[in-house]
Amino acid sequence: MKILGIETSCDETCAAVVEDGRRVLSNVVASQIEIHRKYGGVVPEIASRAHIESLVPVVAEALQAAAAPTAELHAVAVVHRPGLIGSLLVGLTAAKTLAWLRGVPLLAVNHIEAHIYAACLERDPGAASCGGAPGPFPCVSLIVSGGHTSLYHSTGPLEHRLVGATTDDAAGEAFDKVAALLDLGYPGGPVIDRMAERGNPRAVDFPRPWLGPESLDFSFSGLKTAVLYHVRGKGAGAKRRSTHLSPEETADVAAGFQEAVVEVLVGKTLRAAEALGVDRVLVGGGVAANRRLRGRLQADAHAAGLEVFIPPMAYCTDNAAMVAGLAYHLLQAGRTADLDLEARAV
Ligand code: KG4
Ligand code: ZN
């Protein structure tokens, strides 16, 4: 069963064709990074206009790469929430039009649930069928992206209970803001990941925001302020630039900050697994592309006797394969959407 997925919730225009919820036949992503770079972040109005320009060619490329003409599609899936409303509307309108034209079901996918499902794509059919043992479920899912940092108790592809969330910045947002403080450019996550490799994570002792021994919540704003004070000096505010740091000092700050974030993300994920009595953990979202997070989660979870599910890099940041994959389970459950489906920011 072939499903076309469309994802335009933020600044990537994505389309993919996935068969039977797992086999990725195509996965096309048109990045807008170059367009937004000079503003230091995503400009919503510009993002929606860029989606309008890219979406038709991106969908055409996904269908062609999958050798799947629209007549072969069993359904069209689209992310309808959460995200930038103008951006979501572009994907939603395209998906509705295609579903209506071809007379196939429309499926409404939640962006966060799709990030969780990314760990189920292209798994060895002998090893797991998502939704049934011995796949990742039941597990603790850590979702770390530009807009979210949350822990879920996931018991199936469509069943997730929130058990912890950030009280301020998302992890990806903290990476982006710290990169800006260090004059490293945008987007910050990948550049800090690379810089940190050359730095000493113990050169600067940044705080670990644990929020108490049992808390499953996150807070990264204090850590971000600690980096600001370290880089610009207390009371210097936003005026003093960070360019007085040597490349080695910059790398040490990047490594120290990344280590603090990773330690808390991994620690709380293991804490949640213990509290919920599950022996599997999963990570998804753009920050799951971070190499230190991937390595540390593997190592610490294995040491604690837990099984770990980490998607390939291409399915961590925004993509439509995770959307078309999860949609298969919505279709199986008979949860189709109507053509009056609305986009929602949250
Ligand atoms: O999931 P995503 O592509 O979009 C949202 O749904 O937000 O996540 C984007 C976030 C950005 O904040 C970006 O800096 C971060 O993921 N990111 C990373 C890495 N690659 C992307 N953060 C840390 N290390 C990385 N390698
Ligand atoms: Zn995302």
Side-chain angles (χ1 to χ4, degrees):
M1 195 173 277
K2 290 176 188 166
I3 297 181
L4 170 71
I6 294 176
E7 142 71 35
T8 60
S9 65
C10 190
D11 62 338
E12 323 271 16
T13 314
C14 320
V17 179
V18 177
E19 192 168 34
D20 296 338
R22 196 171 46 217
R23 211 159 82 80
V24 181
L25 303 182
S26 66
N27 185 34
V28 181
V29 179
S31 169
Q32 299 180 7
I33 284 178
E34 289 313 318
I35 302 173
H36 299 287
R37 193 186 298 279
K38 63 172 175 284
Y39 305 104
V42 178
V43 183
E45 179 61 23
I46 295 175
S48 3
R49 284 167 192 268
H51 284 307
I52 292 172
E53 282 173 20
S54 308
L55 192 54
V56 171
V58 163
V59 168
E61 191 181 332
L63 293 170
Q64 196 179 27
T70 53
E72 278 183 23
L73 296 177
H74 292 89
V76 179
V78 64
V79 165
H80 71 120
R81 65 175 282 239
L84 301 171
I85 207 80
S87 292
L88 287 167
L89 279 172
V90 179
L92 204 55
T93 308
K96 284 179 184 180
T97 308
L98 257 173
W100 178 68
L101 272 173
R102 299 300 333 174
V104 295
L106 175 71
L107 301 160
V109 173
N110 177 301
H111 183 79
I112 308 297
E113 292 181 2
H115 270 307
I116 295 176
Y117 191 78
C120 298
L121 290 169
E122 283 185 340
R123 289 181 53 75
D124 171 5
S129 68
C130 267
F137 307 115
C139 66
V140 163
S141 304
L142 169 70
I143 293 304
V144 271
S145 70
H148 295 86
T149 299
S150 314
L151 283 167
Y152 295 86
H153 182 199
S154 302
T155 49
L158 300 167
E159 288 91 42
H160 311 285
R161 183 171 63 88
L162 186 70
V163 295
T166 181
T167 54
D168 41 60
D169 291 356
E173 193 181 350
F175 269 95
D176 294 336
K177 286 178 179 168
V178 164
L181 265 172
L182 294 171
D183 286 326
L184 295 176
Y186 163 86
V191 67
I192 289 200
D193 191 335
R194 282 197 301 278
M195 278 304 273
E197 217 169 27
R198 291 187 271 133
N200 172 6
R202 279 168 297 280
V204 193
D205 188 20
F206 288 120
R208 270 61 171 160
W210 290 109
L211 310 178
E214 289 180 8
S215 167
L216 297 178
D217 289 328
F218 301 93
S219 167
F220 294 111
S221 68
L223 175 58
K224 191 184 61 192
T225 308
V227 177
L228 175 79
Y229 285 163
H230 179 83
V231 171
R232 294 180 180 169
K234 258 196 183 139
K239 290 206 180 78
R240 208 168 123 208
R241 306 301 298 167
S242 59
T243 39
H244 65 283
L245 292 184
S246 69
E248 291 73 26
E249 286 170 321
T250 304
D252 285 346
V253 172
F257 161 75
Q258 177 178 271
E259 198 65 15
V261 174
V262 166
E263 202 172 303
V264 172
L265 291 175
V266 172
K268 297 225 172 192
T269 305
L270 302 197
R271 188 184 273 184
E274 195 181 350
L276 295 165
V278 299
D279 56 8
R280 291 169 193 160
V281 296
L282 170 164
V283 65
V287 183
N290 183 271
R291 288 169 300 168
R292 182 65 183 146
L293 175 60
R294 297 168 81 89
R296 185 86 191 253
L297 185 63
Q298 291 268 21
D300 290 10
H302 283 154
L306 304 172
E307 204 177 341
V308 190
F309 294 82
I310 305 180
M313 294 278 199
Y315 304 145
C316 289
T317 44
D318 288 346
N319 67 89
M322 63 185 190
V323 177
L326 178 59
Y328 172 76
H329 297 272
L330 284 168
L331 190 59
Q332 296 289 90
R335 288 170 52 181
T336 57
D338 293 327
L339 289 178
D340 61 0
L341 174 69
E342 286 183 7
R344 277 178 51 194
V346 291

